[in-house]
Structures are given as C-alpha cells and as structure tokens.
Amino acid sequence: MLAESYRVLQLPYGAQMSQIRQAYRQLVLQYHPDRNRQPGAYEVFLQVQAAYEYLQKYHTVGVAAPAFPPAPQTAATKAERDWEKYQHLYEPPADPREFAAWAEVARERVRRQKEKDHAAYVQRTLEMKKQWWYGIALASSYALLLAGSLTGIVIAIIPFLFLLSDHPKRVFLAVILVPVGWRIVNIMQNFRQDIRRHFGEDLPEE
C-alpha cells in the first residue's frame, strides 16, 4: 500500500511530506470532477485522495512513533523496491545480475497497463451505450455486415453455375470469383468481431 500510494501520486518512493502535498494539490486540480469530466477521471481522483490520506497518516505516525530496528526484507518489500527501481527503465540493465528483477518488473508493468487499458475500455464503452445514437450505429453496423456477407456468399456460389458451361471464359471467371467471394466472407467474419468489441456487446449493463 505504501509503494502504491507513492505511485498514485507520481512520486518516487520515500518522498517527503512537502512533495506529497504539492503533488496532491496538482493531481486534485487535474482530476477533480468539476474540472475533468473524462471517463475514469473520478476514479483517479478517489485514488489520489486515498493515497494522500494514507501517506499523511503514515508520515504522522512515523514521526511520533519511537525508532525501531528495520524489519527483515520480505518478498513483498523486495518486489516493491524492484518496482520503484525499474518501473521507468525500459532497456535491460547493464548488470546481468539485475536482469531477473528488471524482467519481472517489465512483466508486471505490462500486466498493469493491460488492466488499465481494459478498465478504460469498459468505462468508455459503457458511457457510449448511454448515448442516443448507440442503437442506430449498432443496427447500421449489422446491416452492413449482412449486406457484405450476402455479397460474398453470392460471389462465391454463383460462379459454380459457370462450371456447368463448356465455355472456357466462364470457367476461368469461376476460378477467379470463388476465392474473391470467400475472402469477402472472411472479412465479414472479422468485422463481426470488431462490432462485438467496439460496441461492447460482451460487457454487462450497469
């Protein structure tokens, strides 16, 4: 929680309270609901508030409490330190002994980014579903899908009738049109997946 709070406030691990207050003011102004109505801004605002309150309490208790010997480093603490050290290092370190820790942080960075991107996609798509034009756009996309699929099927099937003819030009035309028709059908199958993804058909309603 400690390292995560510093990360939310975009501060290096161990930053002092003066830096924490300054970062908090800037982020609150940036993500306050009255100033920023972008999807996901309110969630970031709440995270900033929680991180600031946690760090404020941590520093207050830390000043008042007596000094104790440092606790042995645990696996979680090592992971947090590795994250703080390598999270902005995108090139492998020169020292081979550091590569394993750097690689683990790189995998974690990718995982967090995927979670962030997915959360933004969900928020954006759910907001889109509330718009008045959503149903029209969805219906139009399926109409285009149906028209394209039928066109591809017709182009792929009709040339088989040419094979009944002994005319060599018609047979040659059939050889050309059949792959074209099936290619259009494959494109429409991909288009169907794009519709499901962009219109969030797999997402639950709020």
Side-chain angles (χ1 to χ4, degrees):
M1 181 63 183
L2 180 59
E4 181 67 14
S5 298
Y6 279 115
R7 186 194 67 79
V8 169
L9 294 179
Q10 303 175 13
L11 291 171
Y13 186 83
Q16 299 303 309
M17 201 62 209
S18 58
Q19 298 172 282
I20 294 172
R21 292 192 188 94
Q22 183 179 2
Y24 169 72
R25 295 191 192 99
Q26 293 175 350
L27 292 172
V28 164
L29 290 175
Q30 181 180 352
Y31 291 102
H32 195 281
D34 293 340
R35 291 173 171 263
N36 192 335
R37 299 187 181 276
Q38 294 294 323
Y42 182 65
E43 286 74 13
V44 176
F45 175 77
L46 294 179
Q47 292 176 2
V48 170
Q49 291 276 21
Y52 175 73
E53 292 175 2
Y54 178 86
L55 290 175
Q56 188 179 40
K57 184 180 297 184
Y58 171 81
H59 280 268
T60 302
V61 173
V63 171
F68 291 97
Q73 182 175 333
T74 63
T77 302
K78 181 180 184 305
E80 292 174 356
R81 292 181 178 176
D82 287 343
W83 174 259
E84 294 298 329
K85 185 176 181 180
Y86 300 114
Q87 63 172 317
H88 300 301
L89 184 63
Y90 295 93
E91 296 294 334
D95 189 346
R97 293 172 297 181
E98 299 183 20
F99 182 81
W102 172 84
E104 185 63 29
V105 169
R107 286 190 289 268
E108 177 65 13
R109 183 169 56 234
V110 171
R111 186 190 67 80
R112 294 188 185 190
Q113 186 62 46
K114 286 183 178 180
E115 289 184 352
K116 183 178 179 180
D117 292 343
H118 180 70
Y121 156 73
V122 171
Q123 181 67 25
R124 182 174 63 252
T125 305
L126 292 178
E127 289 294 330
M128 181 182 66
K129 284 187 173 185
K130 299 176 183 178
Q131 303 299 320
W132 64 269
W133 46 263
Y134 173 80
I136 299 175
L138 182 61
S140 301
S141 298
Y142 272 109
L144 180 60
L145 173 66
L146 179 60
S149 300
L150 291 177
T151 300
I153 292 173
V154 169
I155 293 176
I157 292 179
I158 288 183
F160 284 103
L161 301 178
F162 294 164
L163 298 178
L164 301 178
S165 172
D166 294 332
H167 199 288
K169 290 185 178 180
R170 292 184 177 180
V171 174
F172 179 72
L173 182 62
V175 172
I176 294 177
L177 290 181
V178 169
V180 172
W182 285 116
R183 177 56 180 165
I184 294 176
V185 171
N186 289 334
I187 291 175
M188 291 300 104
Q189 290 176 341
N190 294 332
F191 183 49
R192 171 73 177 94
Q193 298 301 321
D194 290 339
I195 292 175
R196 294 183 63 86
R197 182 173 64 255
H198 290 300
F199 286 91
E201 294 185 2
D202 296 331
L203 297 179
E205 298 291 342
E206 284 188 324

